[in-house]
Structures are given as C-alpha cells and as structure tokens.
Amino acid sequence: MNYSPEVDEMYCIAQGPNHGPSPIPQEGQWNQVREVRDINGLTHGVGWCAPQQGACKLTLNIKNGIIEEALIETVGCTGMTHSAAMAAEILPGKTILEALNTDLVCDAINTAMRELFLQIAYGRSQSAFSEGGLMIGAGLEDLGKGLRSVTGTMYGTNRKGPRYLEMAEGYVLEVGLDKNDEICGYKFVNLGRMMDMIKDGTEPGEALARATGTYGQFEAAVKTIDPRKE
C-alpha cells in the first residue's frame, strides 16, 4: 500500500474503541455482519428497466451469504421471461455479492437484485424476526396452488370503461353488469388448478368446469360480457 509523504510523516494516534457494525435483525437474532457469509434471510424486491417497459419481482432465500432459493417473476415485456429463465440458473449458489455484480441479462432483474441487496444488508428481510428463518421452498408460497404468479391485468378506456382480464383468482371469462351497466362480479377459471387436473387425467372440459368460479354478485348480473371481445 502506498502512502503520500504527508501521511507517512504523520504521528500515529490510537483510534480508541471499535465496537464493530451495528447489529441487524436476522432470522430471530441480532447479528453483527462483517462478511457476506454472515447474512441470512428471505426477502422480496422489485426492479424496473431503463425505459420502464417491464418490471421484475425477485424473491431470494439466503443462507450464510449464499442464495439457496430464487423466485423470478416478470411482467410487461416478453423478452424478460427468457431473461428470468437464465436468472433462475444463474442466481442459486452465488453469494449475494457475486449476484450483485453478475449480469442477470435483464436490467429489471439487475435492478431488483440491487434493491434486495440493500434490504438484506440492512436487515430488512421478511424473515428478520422468524426464529431459524424460512425453509428452502418458502418462496413458492407466493405462488399458491398451481404455482402461478398472482397477476392483475385490467384495461379501460374513457369511451368504453373498464375490462377485468386477470384477477388473483385467475383468468376472467365473463364480467357481470348490473342494471346500471356497472361491474358487479365476474366469472373466472383458475388455470393452475385446471392444468393440474388435466395432467392428472381429468378430461379438459370437466377440468375447466371444476376450476371455474365466480366472485362478487355475478349470479345477480343483468348482463354478462366477454371482456376480451365485447
């Protein structure tokens, strides 16, 4: 290490007490994090690309500084799905510092990784006060039955009003309207449940019927429409 002559000629003064970094909450404990391997926790974060054309929700489960589980969910850009596929192979097994400095293909995923790094390094994880943390596989709980991302897709115009296309319950088949032509409910199909039944040998028609449900006052609707065609 090179020192300037000014520093080299200075008198050495003791720094005094050094208590190390402030403890942060991690998996039910308060830890002083000095190295990457001291970091543990499950956390979520979102990122976006420069043109803000798409976004990524990233979930990481970190044990001893290493990413043991990653869930990558993207929306808004078709190319991001392929980037997410590559990120799913890239992230597990890396330390969070390696992942921060790795090209995760899509800028939205890179930005999400940056945001997660900040959270986890400051002890703002979802499992900060969960004793022992969360098991590997906890990330899948965000997806629910059928292992599909929870997606809300709505569309509306000033002239023709709103269209519900995708709700938490699933793909919207019909929208129910009351006497004032206001939405009072909808019929949906849970695609994850339907595909699981089909894979188990159920006839597609029966699977569709069993995975179909309604929400709100759909049964009392005066009129129903297909939000994608009408």
Side-chain angles (χ1 to χ4, degrees):
M1 189 177 298
N2 297 320
Y3 294 91
S4 69
E6 292 81 4
V7 173
D8 198 39
E9 293 173 6
M10 286 180 178
Y11 183 82
C12 185
I13 299 176
Q15 286 183 280
N18 181 2
H19 300 299
S22 299
I24 62 173
Q26 289 194 137
E27 300 189 341
Q29 300 180 10
W30 289 87
N31 305 125
Q32 287 184 307
V33 173
R34 292 181 171 85
E35 300 179 7
V36 171
R37 65 186 178 192
D38 295 331
I39 293 180
N40 296 274
L42 183 141
T43 191
H44 311 274
V46 294
W48 53 94
C49 58
Q52 300 193 16
Q53 181 179 344
C56 168
K57 178 196 170 195
L58 182 62
T59 303
L60 299 179
N61 200 347
I62 299 160
K63 304 291 186 185
N64 301 317
I66 296 173
I67 297 170
E68 296 289 350
E69 176 185 18
L71 171 64
I72 306 102
E73 301 173 86
T74 61
V75 64
C77 172
T78 53
M80 293 174 69
T81 60
H82 294 80
S83 300
M86 288 182 270
E89 296 189 44
I90 293 170
L91 286 168
K94 278 187 164 52
T95 69
I96 58 169
L97 187 59
E98 287 177 309
L100 185 66
N101 290 287
T102 297
D103 181 9
L104 300 175
V105 188
C106 167
D107 201 32
I109 305 176
N110 287 320
T111 303
M113 183 62 227
R114 180 194 71 197
E115 296 302 306
L116 261 70
F117 182 89
L118 291 173
Q119 288 182 26
I120 201 78
Y122 285 110
R124 272 68 171 179
S125 69
Q126 300 295 314
S127 57
F129 301 103
S130 300
E131 187 174 356
L134 299 177
M135 68 176 67
I136 309 305
L140 291 179
E141 294 179 6
D142 280 3
L143 301 180
K145 294 180 180 179
L147 299 185
R148 284 175 55 86
S149 295
V150 177
T151 305
T153 307
M154 315 298 156
Y155 177 73
T157 60
N158 188 38
R159 182 180 177 186
K160 296 294 184 177
R163 297 293 187 277
Y164 296 177
L165 303 175
E166 187 95 18
M167 286 285 197
E169 295 86 2
Y171 178 97
V172 177
L173 296 168
E174 295 179 74
V175 172
L177 306 179
D178 63 15
K179 63 181 180 180
N180 299 316
D181 279 341
E182 295 180 354
I183 296 174
C184 62
Y186 51 88
K187 179 189 287 187
F188 63 87
V189 57
N190 187 311
L191 295 176
R193 285 186 57 211
M194 185 181 77
M195 292 306 300
D196 282 345
M197 285 187 278
I198 291 173
K199 287 187 293 183
D200 289 338
T202 305
E203 287 297 317
E206 181 185 348
L208 174 62
R210 289 170 57 185
T212 297
T214 62
Y215 185 86
Q217 299 178 343
F218 183 81
E219 302 299 336
V222 173
K223 179 180 176 63
T224 64
I225 64 169
D226 182 337
R228 290 172 171 79
K229 295 183 178 180
E230 297 177 71

